[in-house]
Amino acid sequence: MSLSKLPKLPSIRDLIRIYNLRAKQQLSQNFLMDKNITDKIIQLAGLELENSLCVEVGPGPGLLTRSILDKGARNVVAVEKDPRFVPTLEQLQDASEGRFNVILGDMLEIDHKEIVQRGLSLDSNADKQIEAFEHVHLLGNLPFSVATPLLIQWLHLLAAKQGIFTSPHVTMSLMFQKEVGLRIIAPASNTERGRLSVVAQSICDAFKIYGVPSSSFVPRPKVDAMVVQLRPLAKPLLKSSLGMLEHVARFSFMKRRKMLARIFKDWDPKYVALLEECEIDPTLRPQDVSTEKFCNLAQLIEQRGIRLP
């Protein structure tokens, strides 16, 4: 099957007017209107399209979806929570030559088996040449209010090799508020570093691929956005459960301005020795500790059955 770009479709701006679609503040919705931006995001994401499934979260009226399909993706499944967007997405589904399907549901709750099954059942795979996807690309302009819970859930699934993360090669190219994106990619000794940095970087290489100014959205949010790509590390730094690492990082960064020696002494003076066992300088602040050292600390605490406050 030869794949071409989508046929000419009404503009996203026109569709929003025709269907009277207004961004819902309670769902943290902001619409991208410039396809040059979404095309650039998909170009920089470096998608491997052979034997791959593209999963888009929160497509809204479908501008990023158009860019994914125009890039030549054969198997695209979108998960959209807001039923108001179904007509625009079904129109895109009809124009996609059997390459796109939309699921109405909440990505935090959906069974990932349904996503994979929808992908395998697309007309683009009518010959059943693909029985399991080698590559999965998770993409989305995430609603700001649920972006962090979604990422944490996906990191847990990735660490456990569950859901769509059972595929051999998984990448996530996700749009966050700029400040959240900076936290995800922040290295040690960066002022933006926090719990999210440590948890994400324990199993992924995380880096910025594109910055999107607030002026690109309708309605215009108060902050800029950033597209971050996360690729699983060939050799993860994680040595404990991800839940334990998350707990250790949360505990440490709750008093981020204090030295670790003070944080652990306030908890229980005898546990200051844990830092020395992991070769962590107790005079450092949490933001100055490497992800690897945090992973060592979480492993030690978990192995000894120590309960954090």
Side-chain angles (χ1 to χ4, degrees), residues 24-94:
K24 288 187 175 180
Q25 187 176 3
Q26 63 267 36
L27 295 179
S28 303
Q29 290 175 339
N30 302 94
F31 304 145
L32 270 172
M33 296 294 189
D34 188 346
K35 190 167 180 289
N36 291 320
I37 290 178
T38 54
D39 284 348
K40 188 69 173 178
I41 290 169
I42 297 306
Q43 176 192 336
L44 294 172
L47 305 184
E48 171 56 61
L49 299 179
E50 192 66 32
N51 193 355
S52 70
L53 173 64
C54 293
V55 180
E56 186 185 0
V57 180
L63 186 61
L64 183 64
T65 321
R66 295 186 185 195
S67 294
I68 296 169
L69 291 165
D70 276 343
K71 187 67 175 174
R74 294 177 60 92
N75 310 291
V76 184
V77 175
V79 180
E80 175 54 61
K81 183 178 181 179
D82 191 337
R84 297 178 305 146
F85 295 119
V86 170
T88 66
L89 294 171
E90 286 183 341
Q91 182 182 102
L92 190 53
Q93 189 170 294
D94 292 341

Side-chain angles (χ1 to χ4, degrees), residues 221-286:
K222 295 179 181 178
V223 295
D224 295 336
M226 177 190 291
V227 182
V228 173
Q229 186 162 95
L230 298 103
R231 290 180 174 267
L233 294 169
K235 294 183 178 180
L237 301 173
L238 184 68
K239 300 171 182 175
S240 64
S241 66
L242 194 66
M244 176 55 74
L245 177 63
E246 190 180 359
H247 198 165
V248 170
R250 183 188 294 112
F251 166 71
S252 300
F253 281 98
M254 280 179 63
K255 300 177 181 178
R256 57 183 304 124
R257 296 187 181 278
K258 291 189 175 183
M259 293 188 299
L260 285 165
R262 171 53 60 187
I263 294 170
F264 276 70
K265 189 175 181 180
D266 287 348
W267 168 30
D268 191 320
K270 70 174 179 285
Y271 290 136
V272 176
L274 295 172
L275 300 170
E276 296 168 358
E277 284 190 62
C278 295
E279 299 182 348
I280 296 174
D281 182 348
T283 66
L284 293 178
R285 291 185 172 87

Side-chain angles (χ1 to χ4, degrees), residues 12 15-23 31 60-61 84-85 88:
I12 293 297
L15 288 173
I16 287 173
R17 187 186 70 253
I18 292 168
Y19 291 102
N20 194 27
L21 298 172
R22 297 180 183 275
F31 304 145
R84 297 178 305 146
F85 295 119
T88 66

